[in-house]
Amino acid sequence: MSIDVNLQHDLKSLRISAEFNIAEPGITALFGPSGSGKTTLVNMIAGLMRPDQGHIQINDHVLFDGARGINVPVRQRRVGCVFQDNRLFPHMTVRDNLFYGARRNPHKLPEDEQQAVLEMLGIATLLDRRPNLLSGGEKQRVTLGRALLANPDMLLLDEPLSALDHARKQEILPYLEWLRDHRSIPILYVTHAIDEVARLADDMVVIDQGKTLATGSVFDMLGRTDLPPLAGRFDAGTVLRARIVSRDPKAEVSFLECGGQRLVVPYLGRPKNPVIRLHIRARDVMIARTPPHDISANNIIPVTITKISDEPGDAIDVTMCFGQDADAALLADTSGRPKIHARITKWSGSRLKLHLHQKVFAVIKSVTVNGQLRDQ
């Protein structure tokens, strides 16, 4: 399943000129600050707004082509949409809301798959209620179910969690993770929340002032310091894959293995599959020339400096790969070694006399590591 988007559109205060391709199923985060044009792009892909120029194509199905005069109507696009305001019909029951689009779709899901969607989202017991009797999290689950039951070729999720408080967000996130890992459907996830990107996304499209700045794997993109929406208003950081090797419920910690190193993080429970995705902000990583002793930080990782980015301002960004053997710096880009990023003051970098290929230690407090279970 491939999605090809190349669009130009003039708004009163912004010119949209965005181009990206989604080659595989999974979640692609469309990330950028408020006002960067993300929702406008979603509206054009969904067919709610006509672009001035460009094209939108899902596999061999052309949804829009300005040069050829093609503009497929909304109902024929097979694009499921979930917005931050759930847009449920207040006069209908949950059941009628859920199947509103499916009834008009000739490509219906089989009944067993329909039931699987209801059970997966935990909404089978809500069918006879009206939307005004649902919590915010329940409303978003119903909205997501409505989109899935229409059997779309693609899902557009436009800031689906932004109207929810922290508890309701935590309620919805596991369902989005399940979609990413179990449904073979491309999902474009619009957000300006970097923690949601780190937890959910496989790939990332960075947009600012209407223009596509960069695209790529989330594991690479979150470490880049040359992108204004990431390095300026938001934090660069690291997303790592790790595996749970043991747990200590009494001490409320879990022990992980990543790149041959042990990491200690807050307790993660007992998942069926012990694969973990870690998000570590660059500003939460300290650098030491020698391994520190008698400190509260549990994670002291031997690393080798592979890049030092001296950007304008009072900070530098240091990229390090796991390991301190003689070839670590040379093999960093080809050996699959995990990398970690640190943001420190220029004064600290000068005081430590940091330089390329230097063997140092990355120091990380356990409580700063955001670990999310991933079933894969």
Side-chain angles (χ1 to χ4, degrees):
M1 178 67 71
S2 64
I3 312 295
D4 185 43
V5 174
N6 186 336
L7 297 173
Q8 296 79 46
H9 189 74
D10 284 317
L11 301 172
K12 289 183 178 180
S13 58
L14 184 70
R15 175 171 175 76
I16 303 293
S17 181
E19 180 179 1
F20 56 89
N21 183 274
I22 303 173
E24 300 290 340
I27 294 181
T28 297
L30 184 59
F31 177 81
S34 297
S36 59
K38 303 186 300 296
T39 295
T40 299
L41 275 172
V42 166
N43 287 337
M44 289 191 288
I45 295 171
L48 302 174
M49 178 183 296
R50 182 187 176 96
D52 293 334
Q53 302 176 54
H55 66 263
I56 305 165
Q57 184 169 328
I58 301 180
N59 283 345
D60 297 327
H61 188 199
V62 178
L63 303 184
F64 175 81
D65 191 315
R68 296 159 59 188
I70 299 173
N71 188 27
V72 176
V74 176
R75 289 185 178 180
Q76 298 177 23
R77 293 200 175 200
R78 296 194 64 187
V79 174
C81 299
V82 177
F83 299 95
Q84 56 181 293
D85 50 340
N86 54 75
R87 305 189 185 184
L88 297 175
F89 298 113
H91 63 288
M92 291 184 180
T93 63
V94 166
R95 178 183 285 102
D96 290 337
N97 270 285
L98 282 167
F99 290 96
Y100 181 81
R103 291 192 184 98
R104 294 160 175 78
N105 187 357
H107 308 282
K108 290 183 173 60
L109 282 176
E111 288 191 13
D112 59 334
E113 292 190 34
Q114 293 178 10
Q115 188 61 33
V117 169
L118 300 182
E119 292 176 359
M120 181 275 293
L121 291 171
I123 54 179
T125 60
L126 307 177
L127 298 180
D128 295 323
R129 295 190 191 178
R130 294 288 177 91
N132 66 312
L133 298 177
L134 303 178
S135 69
E138 288 171 338
K139 289 177 182 177
Q140 281 301 74
R141 280 187 279 153
V142 171
T143 305
L144 185 57
R146 180 173 62 184
L148 289 172
L149 289 171
N151 195 19
D153 289 333
M154 177 185 187
L155 272 180
L156 299 176
L157 308 183
D158 187 9
E159 306 255 17
L161 306 182
S162 63
L164 303 179
D165 59 27
H166 178 74
R168 299 291 78 76
K169 286 183 181 181
Q170 298 309 306
E171 173 189 327
I172 296 294
L173 283 166
Y175 299 107
L176 299 177
E177 289 174 315
W178 187 93
L179 279 177
R180 174 197 62 201
D181 297 333
H182 293 88
R183 301 284 291 192
S184 183
I185 182 172
I187 301 169
L188 187 62
Y189 187 93
V190 178
T191 184
H192 62 269
I194 200 69
D195 58 332
E196 294 174 21
V197 174
R199 176 165 177 173
L200 296 172
D202 298 295
D203 296 289
M204 188 173 182
V205 176
V206 179
I207 183 172
D208 193 25
Q209 297 181 6
K211 297 180 175 60
T212 303
L213 298 186
T215 64
S217 164
V218 70
F219 295 94
D220 298 326
M221 296 287 287
L222 285 185
R224 291 183 57 172
T225 60
D226 59 329
L227 301 173
L230 294 180
R233 294 176 289 276
F234 301 95
D235 257 333
T238 305
V239 178
L240 297 172
R241 294 186 180 94
R243 184 171 294 275
I244 301 175
V245 294
S246 62
R247 309 169 182 80
D248 188 340
K250 292 184 179 179
E252 297 186 351
V253 294
S254 292
F255 300 96
L256 316 178
E257 186 279 328
C258 179
Q261 299 295 323
R262 189 188 81 160
L263 294 176
V264 183
V265 301
Y267 187 64
L268 294 169
R270 188 177 297 276
K272 295 180 181 178
N273 190 334
V275 174
I276 192 77
R277 175 184 281 202
L278 303 175
H279 179 217
I280 305 170
R281 294 175 300 182
R283 66 180 181 180
D284 291 328
V285 179
M286 296 181 288
I287 299 175
R289 293 182 59 178
T290 59
H293 300 284
D294 300 324
I295 63 172
S296 62
N298 291 309
N299 301 300
I300 302 171
I301 306 168
V303 294
T304 302
I305 296 176
T306 60
K307 183 180 179 181
I308 300 176
S309 301
D310 189 359
E311 306 293 339
D314 59 0
I316 59 172
D317 293 280
V318 183
T319 303
M320 301 162 284
C321 71
F322 280 36
Q324 291 187 342
D325 61 270
D327 296 326
L330 297 177
L331 298 177
D333 292 332
T334 59
S335 66
R337 295 173 185 261
K339 294 181 182 180
I340 193 165
H341 304 274
R343 175 167 295 165
I344 61 174
T345 63
K346 289 182 177 179
W347 186 78
S348 292
S350 175
R351 180 171 54 84
L352 294 174
K353 297 181 172 59
L354 298 183
H355 58 82
L356 286 179
H357 304 171
Q358 184 178 3
K359 297 172 177 59
V360 294
F361 295 85
V363 182
I364 311 162
K365 294 171 60 178
S366 296
V367 294
T368 65
V369 180
N370 181 17
Q372 304 297 341
L373 302 177
R374 180 171 186 178
D375 184 14
Q376 62 178 29

